[in-house]
Amino acid sequence: MFPNSSNLGRPPFPPEHQQYNFFSNLPVNIPPVLVYHQQIIDHPHFQSSTALVSGNISTVPPVSPPPFTYRNGSPVHTSATPASFRGRKRLKEQNVHYEVKRQRFHSPHRESTSASQAVPLPEDHRRSFPGSIPSPLLHAHYISDLTGCVPPLQEASFPDPIETVLPVAKDKLSQQVLELFQACQQQTYDLNKKELCRTQLQREIHQIFPNSRLYLVGSSLNGFGTRSSDGDLCLVVKEEPINQKTEARHILSLLQKLFCRKLSSYIERPQLIRAKVPIVKFRDKVSCVEFDLNVNNVVGIRNTFLLRTYAYIESRVRPLVLVVKKWASFRGINDASRGTLSSYSLVLMVLHYLQTLPEPILPSLQKNYPESFDPTMQLHLVHQAPCTIPPYLSKNESTLGDLLLGFLKYYATEFDWSGQMISVREAKAIPRPDGIEWRNKFICVEEPFDQTNTARAVHEKQKFDIILDEFRKSWQRLRDRRDLSCILPLRATIQKR
């Protein structure tokens, strides 16, 4: 049911490195097939994105992106796909304190490789290139809004894609949600920029860690990315888990030095953040994309494909998640480094709400398909797991507007924050555990695979009160006016993407 997808973000390796391969079932010299996603700009619905129901928003003319240039100065030609915005994220990034990493797909626990091999996603595009050949990343044929099955890694042919459709907007609020989604969702060009940087970094890192692999994970691949989403990278250096406080920090310090000394021509502001899961933050000068790179935090590979499956088994999921993320960001409650909610926690909160409706819109995939989302599955098989999962046919016919209003009301007035934990794995709210990680926490959101608290950054009562107050105020305003612009400035949001 999903668009053709295979090895998106999977690093290629030349044959000479095949003698050592801890990913025993996946020879490192298999040419990876890159698959790209998100509905393309010329989707028929996308053209209406500049005219949100509440007002006239002038159309932004397409911009032909300039060629990318890395290291030797030779241009890497980009796709002809138009891009209305090149979207730089967090314009005030210089003011952000870096003591705490924004929690995204963090948590210990992982195994071997092959992460970015995507599941569903419109506009998945096929490309393959061996490690010894420059990636023809941006010379692909573009297909709009496709679905199909995730093929095995070594399969050369792909099934014919099946077209997917967006939900129908029957009222003003639903139309606003849908048009905001169409205007702000990640485009193929945005993903190309991240993938190009990943391939360049892989070549450089491979000189220090010959048997490592670098994966693009998180919102870039899980179906919930926006034009301004940054890139999350996971460097897998060995099959076994590593100590994040010692070994991971040491590896990241070496990478930081590499970025500063050798790659300063296209990598700027590399910073080592000593968090629970340490990262190196940096900016790619060529693409103007911000990246967070971790080492062996492989649970993000698993949940990337779990979330990707949720994103595409029901057509209302992605638009609802995107508008919630935009709303939370505008309201100042979407920044784990400042003690509020990470984007990952917000996504899980939306999925949980859709699972707990009287007539659910989503099931628990881990309960219904335990073999497909087995937390012990070897990583090179993770991307294949969702290929047989069909769309979820819900009897719930609620509109996008109704669901957005219901989401705000659920967390503003119904959810028991003091005694319950949000669990997408169980598809219900469950009692809080007694473990130390859950004590004295105001919001508890269970990570679906390692059962840690993804909302652990919310540890101050003041921040929790601010979050709850935003839910309450927004629910009341939206209930009374049924106009998205009363809780989120649409014009400014689209301009920022």
Side-chain angles (χ1 to χ4, degrees), residues 151-448:
L153 287 178
Q154 296 163 321
E155 191 171 287
S157 60
F158 300 90
D160 292 332
I162 302 172
E163 208 170 306
T164 59
V165 295
L166 290 172
V168 176
K170 300 178 181 179
D171 58 87
K172 176 182 177 178
L173 179 57
S174 298
Q175 185 68 26
Q176 289 174 316
V177 171
L178 189 59
E179 289 178 342
L180 185 66
F181 167 72
Q182 291 171 317
C184 297
Q185 65 174 324
Q186 178 177 262
Q187 300 297 318
T188 303
Y189 171 65
D190 304 316
L191 182 59
N192 286 347
K193 293 189 297 184
K194 299 171 186 177
E195 171 58 21
L196 185 58
C197 182
R198 186 204 64 79
T199 58
Q200 295 291 333
L201 286 179
Q202 173 66 79
R203 293 188 186 105
E204 300 293 347
I205 294 173
H206 200 247
Q207 297 178 27
I208 303 176
F209 302 103
N211 304 305
S212 66
R213 291 194 171 187
L214 185 64
Y215 299 101
L216 186 63
V217 296
S219 62
S220 300
L221 293 183
N222 65 21
F224 300 120
T226 66
R227 300 298 313 275
S228 58
S229 294
D230 61 5
D232 292 295
L233 297 168
C234 178
L235 178 67
V236 180
V237 294
K238 61 181 180 180
E239 186 173 7
E240 300 81 16
I242 67 173
N243 187 304
Q244 290 292 323
K245 288 186 177 181
T246 56
E247 193 173 359
R249 287 187 184 181
H250 175 67
I251 293 170
L252 289 172
S253 67
L254 295 177
L255 294 180
Q256 183 188 25
K257 292 176 182 177
L258 171 70
F259 294 170
C260 290
R261 296 174 182 175
K262 187 177 179 182
L263 308 184
S264 60
S265 61
Y266 69 93
I267 297 297
E268 67 178 358
R269 302 201 305 262
Q271 293 179 293
L272 176 58
I273 311 299
R274 292 174 174 82
K276 181 176 181 179
V277 176
I279 60 164
V280 167
K281 293 181 66 71
F282 63 92
R283 180 177 179 271
D284 175 23
K285 294 179 184 178
V286 179
S287 65
C288 299
V289 174
E290 303 277 350
F291 285 89
D292 297 338
L293 188 156
N294 69 71
V295 178
N296 269 61
N297 183 36
V298 293
V299 73
I301 298 172
R302 298 188 186 282
N303 58 44
T304 291
F305 292 99
L306 175 65
L307 264 60
R308 188 173 168 87
T309 310
Y310 276 119
Y312 286 91
I313 61 172
E314 223 289 336
S315 64
R316 290 166 286 186
V317 177
R318 285 185 302 143
L320 184 61
V321 167
L322 184 141
V323 75
V324 166
K325 288 172 65 175
K326 290 294 184 182
W327 163 79
S329 179
F330 175 72
R331 293 292 167 184
I333 59 172
N334 179 204
D335 189 345
S337 70
R338 295 181 180 273
T340 58
L341 294 163
S342 66
S343 293
Y344 185 36
S345 294
L346 284 166
V347 173
L348 294 176
M349 289 170 68
V350 174
L351 300 182
H352 166 77
Y353 163 70
L354 296 177
Q355 291 174 326
T356 56
L357 292 167
E359 188 62 58
I361 287 178
L362 290 176
S364 167
L365 291 175
Q366 288 164 288
K367 277 188 170 183
N368 290 6
Y369 305 96
E371 68 289 343
S372 295
F373 300 101
D374 184 347
T376 65
M377 180 186 294
Q378 291 184 326
L379 284 182
H380 71 272
L381 301 175
V382 168
H383 79 286
Q384 301 179 27
C387 67
T388 58
I389 297 176
Y392 185 71
L393 303 178
S394 172
K395 296 179 181 178
N396 188 319
E397 298 181 354
S398 298
T399 65
L400 285 170
D402 291 335
L403 293 175
L404 176 59
L405 191 59
F407 168 80
L408 295 172
K409 180 183 179 182
Y410 177 71
Y411 289 110
T413 66
E414 298 174 13
F415 186 77
D416 178 11
W417 295 102
S418 62
Q420 292 184 320
M421 174 176 69
I422 293 165
S423 176
V424 169
R425 177 179 57 90
E426 293 288 341
K428 63 182 180 181
I430 61 178
R432 286 192 182 202
D434 293 328
I436 189 171
E437 184 169 6
W438 307 95
R439 296 174 195 162
N440 304 317
K441 293 296 186 293
F442 297 96
I443 298 180
C444 294
V445 181
E446 180 192 57
E447 207 291 321

Side-chain angles (χ1 to χ4, degrees), residues 37-51:
H37 60 281
Q38 302 301 357
Q39 292 184 310
I40 55 179
I41 284 177
D42 58 356
H43 189 286
H45 293 295
F46 182 78
Q47 304 302 327
S48 65
S49 65
T50 58

